[in-house]
Each structure stands twice: as structure tokens, then as C-alpha cells.
Amino acid sequence: MNQPARGSLLGLENLTTKEISSILQEARKMKRGKVKPVLSGKRVVLLFYESSTRTRVSFEFAAKALGATTALVSASASSIEKGESLIDTGYTVTSLGAQAIVIRHPSSGAPYMLARHVPVPVINAGDGMHEHPSQGLLDAYTILEHKKTLKGLRVAMIGDIFHSRVVRSDVHLLSKFGSKVVLCGPPELVPDISATLAPGVTVTRDLEEALTGTDVVIALRIQKERLAGLQLSLGDYIERYQLRPERLKAAKKDAIVMHPGPIIRGLEVTSEVADGPNSVIREQVRNGVAVRMAILARALA
Amino acid sequence: MTRKESAFMSVNQRLDSKQPPKSLLICGGHVIDPANGVDGPADVFIRDGKIAAVAPKLKEKAERTIEAKGLIVAPGFIDLHVHLREPGQAYKETIATGTAAAAKGGFTSVCAMPNTQPVNDSVETTRWMQSPERGALVNVFPIAAATLGSQGEKLTDFYALREAGAVAVSDDGRPILDDQIMREALEAAKRTGFPVIQHAEDTRVTAGTQMNYGAVSLRLGLRGMPAEAEAAIVRRDIELARKTGAHIHVAHISTAAAVEEVRRGKREGVRVSCEVTPHHFSLTEEAVAGYDTRYKMNPPLRSQEDREAMLMALEDGTIDAIATDHAPHAHHEKMVEFDRAAFDITGLETALGLGISELHEKRGIPLQRVVELLTANPGRILSLGGRGQLSAGAPADVTIFDPKRKWTFDWKESRSKSKNTPFGGWKLTGKAMVSIVGGRLVYEAAK
């Protein structure tokens, strides 16, 4: 059992504001300037135990844009299906020459486990209900393209807080930079103890209260695949919490609407909001590539 | 056979090859025998496998003498809760390796839970576990399943199991949830004259959970077991024990709420007892933060408030016994993602050190009380043939330990077949030096 290799990105909870700022700054350079092949000749393995569109494609594009070679290992089309353990899979890909591993996994903490056993940087591309640090970073990046600072900003996160790894990463980051985060949804999805996630976080059941005067609205997908055992009526949810244009009026005029995707139109948001003038959802996706380039450069360059 | 195993065997053979001495004198030690109210310098004289005399400066001539100067001489420790994995899972542990670990930890009697393969719900398995061929180094007392296959449906034959040597019944990891079955189990246990031991967990609400429910589980994105899932079963069981007059023993209690139920039950005269594990009074849920599966247990490590409640209950007598819940698992069963890893840890070789370090040294609980939790009390909860005390005529089970010895636990040197412990590298105070079972030396620490 070892410490994770330098350059690993396992979560945002334990990153300093300085480290976060430096990644965001690097991402800005990546987005603006000409990209140098700083990862030329490096080998990156994308280890995906769970389905993904945005995260997988953007990590792959980011790695290739920097000159790295990538190989994708997905659970359903590899020896993982035959019963190879996570750690053995880690040993295998590093023996094959992987110099960094990007991992998406349905079990919270899986990247921590892997990072203790392989000598190369491990980048968490989403672990269970725990964290999704690259998403947290690209969310901050996107907010900062529209708002001067994170300090004092009011951010409302609406919906499935409990099952969301994006929430945990966003909350840790925003709290470190002094934003005021309001978590909103029914108790099944937003337990009272959610307010303990980080300093400056509050919980409300009332959508209007959450949206009033807010600078940023982040909608979240209801994760049907993780709802095991919850008695939640989707009809009631839509009735009380769906983001609609008339409800959004409570927010500041220049409020931005975000969503980490995938969007289920007609459930947590209506199309009018997702495609509306305040929506920056597609910008988020676009920024994902630059942010992930910065993350990979930090790990390997 | 690996080299380590053969080294271990040679120790066994050396011990077994010698006939136990006909008489044995333990002299110059400090005897703590809570059942008899003894706490002072005394010698212990053993003859024909029985305690013959306990008094200062005995003049008896013995075949062998053990010098115990500076050491505590106590009744042999009793562990009410171990998993020896035989029959069926010898890759994790065998009765021989598990009891070797027990002897090294100062335990001279262990009570073996029935979640073996097959489940110990029969006279045959109960007898098989106690047969000399198993190579047990200490006394093994089977706890039989309360229901057939631990399915929670049909009671086993308690009377026949008792005749075969079982000392209690329990469905351990598969708690009896059905009120009517639990009531029947308590009534039958009362007639048989032993307790029902319950792993108190409402498994209807804990399916898929990985750790304690609370702020930490929320932060880690792990599904949590609410404290109420333990307290609710304890409350229900105490009510049934009150109605039936039977004895309910709560296994590995872990929450403040459940301890409060036991405290109230005792005050109201219900026959309820409970045990706590060393890990629940030594660690909290914060340890899970790195997703290290060595900290994955059931019941889970709880909050600091719960841990504090365990310490209070150990002080005020609500908790009766320290039991290890020694639960060996193979390396590969723990070296996986947190939510796929097996629950629980080994514990026989660290219990005394943790008891003295955490309870006596740090908390100021008297040594006599720590000894009581390992001897007199567990010996009273179950009928183990007069064990847990150094009364004349009792089986000569004796543990001699050094209460001041500082040592570092090295999991690699564990005698258990499995090494799933979070206490490797812990600096502990208090170590077993000699373990004696029925007048026979089964463990002697290197000087």
C-alpha cells in the first residue's frame, strides 16, 4: 500500500485552492493558445467500468490533443468481464506501459484503491456517488467565464443531491472559494445532513427559496439506476422541482443554468430551460476538453 | 505447507507432545480474579487440570513452576464471539489456526459462531467442531444456529444441540427478524437454559449498506446503516425477553441508542446482556475515509458519540463483556472495491492490548474491570463449566499477562490464517505471556 503517485487527481475535497486555481489557469491557456504536444509518446489508459459519453470522449480528445496515445478498456469488453480484479487490471495496464490511468467506476473510492497499488498517476473520472473532480473543475471554469469570482456567489443545486458525485465535487470546490451553496430537493434526495458536506452549504425543500437571487443554477439528473428502495414519485418531483422558465424568474437576471449531463428533458428540466438564453450547458461540455487537458498535463508533463 | 505454517505446526507439536504437568505452581504474580473478589499478590496451584489453591506464598511442591513476578495472573480469557470458519471455509481459518491465535491472545475459551458451511444447525456439526481431530489449542464452545440453515423460519433442536455441546443459539449475521420466530426461539432457549444471541441489525433497511450512516458516509458516497437499524432490533428483543423471561444477549453492540435500550432493560430487570468489540471502542467511522477495506465491518465503525457511549457503558457496567468478533477473510476478499469487500476483521491477538491501552491506560478504567470483561462476565453469560474464575475445582484455565509490556502488533506474525486487521503497526500496552488450558501450557511468549 502506497501513497497515490504525484499528479493523481482523486477528488477535490483534499485539493487546495492554489492547486485548483493552477489547474483552471492551465486550462485557460489550453483553451486559448496553441496546444503543444507535451504528452507526446505518453500512454494513457482509460479504464471505464461504467458507461460515459462526455467524460470518456473529452478525456480521449484531451489526451490526443496533447500528443498522448490512449487505450480504452471498458468493463463489458475486457478481462474485467472474466473476473479480473481492479487491482490486477491496474497491474496489467501498467505492465503494458500505461503512464496514467483515467478511471470511471461505479464503486465509491475505487480510484483510491487503485492509486494505492499502481505506480502511475490515477485520475478519477467519477467514482460511484463520491466525486467527479474533472466535472467539478469544468463547472468552476464555466462559472468563471461568466462571473468575475466564486467568492460570495450564490449557487443553487437542484435535484438528486444524495446520489450525485458531481454535487460532492462542486460543493467542495465552491465552498473552498467562498461561494454560498444551496441544495434543494425532497428529503429522499437531499437528506438534512447534506448541509454538513462543506462549510457554507445550506439545505432547503423550497425551489423558489433556492432560486431567489441566485447567480448559478445547477440542475441534476434523477439517477433512476441508484434509486433502489426509495419511494419517490417522479410526478411529484416534476410538480415541485422541475426547472421551468417561469420558476427561473426568481433567480438573478444574469443567472446561468448548468447541468452536468446527461439531461433527461421533461424531468429535471424542460427543453425551454435547457436550450434557453441562460443555459451554458453546451459550454460546459466544450470546456471539459480544455480542463481535462490541464489535468492530464498536470499528471504527466 | 508453507514455511510459516510448518513453523506454526512445530510450536503445536511441541506443546502437544508433552503431557500436561500433573501439578503446576504459578508463583510471585498478582492475581486478579473478579468472580472471587481477588486482586492482590497470590500464587496459583494447579493439580490434575483443576485449580487446587489460590493464596499468597503457597508451599506446594509442583512438577513445574512458572515465575510470574510483575505479571497479572487471571482466569483464562473467554471470547464469546469468534468465527473459526470450519467446516467449509478452511481457506480463511481452521479451528486449529483460529485457536492458535486465541492462545497467543490470552484466550483459553472461544465461542464459535454457526455461520459455517454448512451452517452449524446440527448435532453432527456441533460435535465435529469439538472433535480432537480439529486440533484446537483452546476450548471451543459452539454456538449453534437458532433456526435451520439460519433461514429464520424453523427452530433447531435446542435441547439436542445443548447435549452435543452448544452453549447458546444465534443466527448471527442473519438476525431473526420475525417477531413470532424470535419469541419462539427465546421460549425454547429459556427451557433449554441458555441465551439467544442476536446480531442486532434490521437487514430489511440495511441492504446494500457499507458503513455507518451519517455525515461521513454522505461525504464518501457510501450507503450507510442507520444506528436505528440496530437499536430497533435490540428494543424489540428486550421486549420479547421481558415477556418470555428468557435471556437475550446482544452481540457486538455498537450504537449509543442500542446501549441505552440495554441500560433501561437491565434497570427494569430484563435478562439482557451485551458485548462490545475492541474495534468499536477503539475506532470511529472517520477511519473509513481512505476507503481502506480493513475498516469495513458489520456492525460498522460508528460515530465518536457512539464510541463514547461504548466507553461509558463499559465503565458503568451496561456492557458485560469484550468479545472480538474475530472474522478472518482471505486477502483477495478484502483487496477489492470497498462495496465489494468482505465485512469484518480478525481480533484475537489484539483484544487484550486494545483493552489495556484504550480502556485502562487512556480511559482510566481499572485493570480489574478489564479482566472482568474478559473472564468473570462472559463466564457468567454462558455456562462454560465454571470457567472465567479461579475457584478451587474449576478447570485450570489461566492467562498470565504483562499489563505494562509495550509492543507493536505485527500482522505478519499473526497465527490466524488471515491477516485482515487494521491494527498492524499499532503500539499497544499489555500482552499475554502464558496461556494455560486445563493445566496444559498452550502458549508461552518469548521472553
Side-chain angles (χ1 to χ4, degrees), chain A residues 1 13 86-87 105 107-109 113 116-117 129-130 162-163 168 191 193-194 196 226, chain B residues 213-215 218-223 290-294 334-340:
Chain A
M1 298 266 256
E13 185 184 350
L86 172 59
I87 291 168
H105 200 292
S107 300
S108 299
M113 180 111 209
R116 280 198 289 265
H117 291 91
M129 314 193 306
H130 177 232
F162 182 73
H163 299 100
R168 287 168 179 78
I193 53 168
S194 305
T196 64
R226 298 191 219 266
Chain B
Y213 178 80
L218 185 84
R219 208 175 74 224
L220 295 176
L222 292 171
R223 293 181 187 273
Y291 300 96
D292 184 335
T293 57
R294 288 175 302 181
K334 281 286 195 180
M335 292 305 277
V336 290
E337 294 86 332
F338 199 87
D339 57 3
R340 294 179 180 198

Side-chain angles (χ1 to χ4, degrees), chain B residues 200-320:
Chain B
E201 174 189 354
D202 188 343
T203 46
R204 288 164 296 206
V205 301
T206 58
T209 56
Q210 306 296 325
M211 66 173 296
N212 185 42
Y213 178 80
V216 181
S217 70
L218 185 84
R219 208 175 74 224
L220 295 176
L222 292 171
R223 293 181 187 273
M225 299 181 198
E228 179 56 20
E230 178 176 274
I233 297 294
V234 172
R235 191 178 309 126
R236 193 270 319 248
D237 288 351
I238 289 175
E239 274 324 298
L240 290 174
R242 187 198 311 273
K243 283 179 189 143
T244 56
H247 176 186
I248 177 78
H249 177 74
V250 183
H252 45 49
I253 203 162
S254 67
T255 62
V259 157
E260 196 45 48
E261 297 294 342
V262 171
R263 188 174 283 126
R264 184 179 315 134
K266 284 188 166 185
R267 201 165 51 221
E268 293 167 5
V270 180
R271 289 179 72 198
V272 54
S273 55
C274 68
E275 68 194 31
V276 68
T277 71
H279 42 285
H280 286 107
F281 65 66
S282 304
L283 296 167
T284 69
E285 58 186 346
E286 293 287 347
V288 179
Y291 300 96
D292 184 335
T293 57
R294 288 175 302 181
Y295 296 100
K296 180 174 175 177
M297 350 254 187
N298 185 5
L301 296 175
R302 302 284 189 180
S303 69
Q304 180 55 34
E305 293 74 44
D306 289 314
R307 176 175 174 241
E308 186 62 31
M310 297 306 117
L311 293 167
M312 298 258 292
L314 281 160
E315 279 168 339
D316 73 10
T318 304
I319 291 177
D320 299 279

